[in-house]
Amino acid sequence: MTRVSCFLFLMLGIICLASTNAPAVLAQENIDCGYPLNNDERTYCAEKALKDAEAKMAAAYVKLHAKVVEMDDALPEHLKGSPAALEEAQAAWSDYADKDCKAYAFPFMGGTRGQELYRNCKIVLTMTRTEDLTATLDDYGN
């Protein structure tokens, strides 16, 4: 499998993982993520928010990928390549987001604040990427 194919497989896996109800999640149902009281609750809520954001991004990516495959099929041979370009762009975005958030949180990585800042950064960038993927799909006419 190529790196791009592996990435697409990973994105689909995120959707599947996000849709399962693991026992650990059931044990955390009583946590109010609108007002987490301690570091454990903040960590749980941030991880939950990141998984939710990643699942939404993966869903937007899958929809856009399907659209560009459809569009690509209708193009002359010399204009084909949108799906591969999108796959490469998503892989590059993932690498960028990870490195950017590591750089952002780096001064605090010696303590619990570093992981919190890293996760929060990833949440924001992932939500922004989801908006970008959705806007591109809208541009292509759904």
Side-chain angles (χ1 to χ4, degrees):
M1 246 194 255
T2 66
R3 179 179 174 192
V4 173
S5 297
C6 289
F7 185 78
L8 181 57
F9 184 73
L10 175 65
M11 294 302 289
L12 292 172
I14 289 172
I15 292 172
C16 293
L17 285 174
S19 66
T20 62
N21 286 329
V25 172
L26 295 175
Q28 302 292 335
E29 284 181 355
N30 58 345
I31 293 176
D32 178 9
C33 286
Y35 190 70
L37 298 175
N38 57 47
N39 192 50
D40 288 340
E41 289 184 1
R42 282 190 301 277
T43 298
Y44 166 78
C45 293
E47 287 175 359
K48 183 179 181 299
L50 180 56
K51 285 179 185 175
D52 290 347
E54 287 173 339
K56 288 176 184 174
M57 179 182 68
Y61 174 84
V62 168
K63 288 179 186 175
L64 179 56
H65 191 273
K67 182 63 176 181
V68 297
V69 166
E70 175 189 322
M71 292 171 54
D72 213 50
D73 289 343
L75 292 173
E77 202 57 41
H78 71 283
L79 294 176
K80 291 184 183 284
S82 292
L86 177 61
E87 292 162 9
E88 290 174 16
Q90 189 66 13
W93 176 86
S94 182
D95 189 44
Y96 158 77
D98 182 55
K99 289 178 180 177
D100 190 50
C101 291
K102 280 181 182 173
Y104 175 71
F106 191 83
F108 303 95
M109 280 305 197
T112 57
R113 184 90 171 116
Q115 287 302 315
E116 183 180 342
L117 290 171
Y118 175 83
R119 272 190 304 272
N120 290 342
C121 175
K122 287 286 294 236
I123 291 165
V124 170
L125 290 182
T126 302
M127 291 170 66
T128 301
R129 179 66 177 162
T130 302
E131 291 171 3
D132 292 344
L133 292 169
T134 302
T136 301
L137 182 61
D138 290 345
D139 287 347
Y140 292 158
N142 285 328

